[in-house]
Amino acid sequence: MINQVILVGRLTRNPEMSSTPQGTPFAQITLAVNRSFRNHNGEIEADFVHCILWRKAAENTCKYCRKGSVLGITGRLQTRNYESREGKRTYITEVVAESVRFLSSRPQSVSTEEKKEESVSVGV
């Protein structure tokens, strides 16, 4: 079986770091990915894809990327579900990132010390 996803898109908001109860860092992001065709009005639409980043990939993305940053993500598609407080079953489909590449330049707010770091491509 094959379950591989490759995306290039822009962050819809600044990424925020979270951690599991066991202390494992993660970040949930949304990428706006343009479609490869125009709609009946001649406009290019976008899909908004939810992604989850783990460990160092999450830490570096939160450190170096901001809303509008272009990311390349390779990962796998995952579906999960849970029951809401109202008793309704909710399904979630997301991409679990296996590697993340930063494809746009660093934001101006990054300090000189951080610019010296080499790693702009992170794997999980």
Side-chain angles (χ1 to χ4, degrees), residues 56-69:
K56 209 58 165 163
E59 292 172 354
N60 286 339
T61 300
C62 291
K63 186 175 182 178
Y64 292 113
C65 299
R66 300 288 174 261
K67 177 181 178 179
S69 295

Side-chain angles (χ1 to χ4, degrees), residues 3 7-8 20-21 30 46 61 65 70 72 77 80-81 90 99 112 118:
N3 181 357
L7 300 170
V8 175
T20 65
T30 301
T61 300
C65 299
V70 180
L77 199 59
R80 56 188 170 93
N81 65 76
T90 302
S99 76
T112 306
E118 295 291 321

Side-chain angles (χ1 to χ4, degrees), residues 75-87:
R76 62 181 171 82
L77 199 59
Q78 169 181 284
T79 58
R80 56 188 170 93
N81 65 76
Y82 64 93
E83 192 169 312
S84 68
R85 293 181 185 158
E86 296 80 31

Side-chain angles (χ1 to χ4, degrees), residues 1-70:
M1 308 297 164
I2 297 173
N3 181 357
Q4 187 171 19
V5 176
I6 300 171
L7 300 170
V8 175
R10 291 190 181 273
L11 286 174
T12 60
R13 58 184 158 80
N14 289 344
E16 294 181 19
M17 182 66 67
S18 299
S19 62
T20 65
Q22 296 79 23
T24 304
F26 72 94
Q28 293 179 317
I29 63 169
T30 301
L31 279 186
V33 181
N34 287 342
R35 293 181 179 174
S36 61
F37 57 89
R38 296 181 184 274
N39 65 16
H40 64 280
N41 292 329
E43 301 165 339
I44 296 177
E45 296 177 353
D47 291 303
F48 297 89
V49 183
H50 297 281
C51 303
I52 187 160
L53 315 174
W54 290 96
R55 298 174 187 79
K56 209 58 165 163
E59 292 172 354
N60 286 339
T61 300
C62 291
K63 186 175 182 178
Y64 292 113
C65 299
R66 300 288 174 261
K67 177 181 178 179
S69 295
V70 180

